[in-house]
């Protein structure tokens, strides 16, 4: 399974999103300072579970869901977490 | 003093602290660069810590506030977030509001 597929699976299972877009942006960051090999990914996610939560709490839910990938496969995750598609 | 106590000292002893890769003048990562630019644009004093120059900080800060990536912005001892959150707050004006309130209070 690719990292994108892994992300898709973990986020879908944990947050039951109504919108989930994952982009692999690794190519534009390969080998820059401090990158130990993991990729860069952009995530746009909409889930009713974010309703009423601050940005930091939404991002924590996303990080918690993908925790097992953060140590190795993911160097950076850019997150846009919305509670509903028009927010 | 152990590293966690040192981190606590820096984070609680300064109203605005940015942990980043590189420095505001010479950022070493796009996310750190954007975050420090947003802070600088808010025109309040802040201190920055280069985690690439401080391996102990880089290894331990993720455990301090349970946040896995850099940069990390702390205001008044509280983690505000990383690049995406800071940029979203910068764009909707809440970053400046929160920073101004911090500076006035100190």
């Amino acid at each position: 399974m690719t990292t994108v597929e892994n992300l898709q699976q973990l986020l879908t299972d944990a947050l039951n999103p109504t919108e989930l877009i994952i982009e692999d942006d690794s190519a534009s960051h390969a080998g820059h300072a401090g990158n130990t090999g993991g990729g860069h990914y952009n995530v746009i996610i909409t889930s009713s579970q974010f309703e009423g939560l601050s940005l930091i709490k939404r991002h924590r839910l996303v990080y918690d869901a993908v925790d097992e990938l953060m140590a190795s496969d993911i160097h950076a995750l850019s997150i846009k977490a919305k509670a509903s598609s028009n927010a | 003093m152990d590293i966690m106590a040192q981190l606590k000292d820096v984070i609680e002893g300064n109203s605005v602290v940015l942990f980043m890769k590189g420095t505001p003048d010479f950022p070493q990562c796009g996310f750190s660069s954007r975050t420090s630019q947003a802070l600088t644009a808010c025109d309040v004093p802040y201190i920055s810590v280069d985690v690439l120059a401080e391996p102990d900080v880089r290894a331990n800060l993720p455990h301090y506030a349970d946040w896995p990536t850099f940069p990390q912005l702390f205001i008044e001892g509280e983690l505000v977030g990383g690049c995406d959150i800071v940029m979203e707050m910068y764009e909707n004006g809440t970053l400046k509001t929160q920073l101004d309130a911090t500076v006035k209070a100190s």
Side-chain angles (χ1 to χ4, degrees), chain B residues 19-91:
Chain B
F19 293 90
M20 64 182 289
K21 291 179 175 172
T23 64
D25 288 335
F26 295 100
Q28 298 291 320
C29 159
F31 298 104
S32 288
S33 173
R34 286 201 290 284
T35 307
S36 65
Q37 279 172 16
L39 265 187
T40 303
C42 287
D43 203 24
V44 292
Y46 66 96
I47 69 157
S48 70
V49 177
D50 179 359
V51 302
L52 295 178
E54 308 270 356
D56 277 359
V57 173
R58 187 178 182 190
N60 288 285
L61 186 66
H63 306 299
Y64 180 90
D66 190 27
W67 192 259
T69 57
F70 297 102
Q72 296 189 19
L73 175 67
F74 290 81
I75 298 178
E76 297 290 300
E78 292 286 326
L79 177 65
V80 172
C83 177
D84 298 314
I85 291 178
V86 171
M87 292 314 294
E88 202 163 325
M89 290 175 69
Y90 174 64
E91 281 158 18

Side-chain angles (χ1 to χ4, degrees), chain A residues 7 11 20-23 25 29 39-45 59 62-63 70 74-81, chain B residues 31 34 69-70 82-85 87-88:
Chain A
L7 276 169
L11 289 170
L20 179 59
I21 300 166
I22 300 170
E23 295 167 345
D25 197 26
H29 302 276
H40 286 237
Y41 299 89
N42 301 327
V43 173
I44 298 170
I45 181 167
H59 284 227
V62 172
Y63 280 133
M70 292 306 297
I74 297 176
H75 171 72
L77 198 58
S78 178
I79 302 168
K80 193 151 185 69
Chain B
F31 298 104
R34 286 201 290 284
T69 57
F70 297 102
C83 177
D84 298 314
I85 291 178
M87 292 314 294
E88 202 163 325

Side-chain angles (χ1 to χ4, degrees), chain A residues 2 5-6 8 15 20-21 31-32 39-40 48-49 52-53 59-60 64-66 68-70 72 79:
Chain A
T2 65
E5 286 165 348
N6 256 324
Q8 188 115 33
L15 296 167
L20 179 59
I21 300 166
H32 80 67
H40 286 237
S48 58
Q49 294 188 34
L53 297 183
H59 284 227
R60 278 198 196 283
D64 285 349
V66 304
E68 64 192 77
L69 300 176
M70 292 306 297
S72 52
I79 302 168

Side-chain angles (χ1 to χ4, degrees), chain B residues 89-102:
Chain B
M89 290 175 69
Y90 174 64
E91 281 158 18
N92 70 21
T94 51
L95 181 65
K96 173 96 176 129
T97 310
Q98 191 172 345
L99 287 168
D100 284 348
T102 302

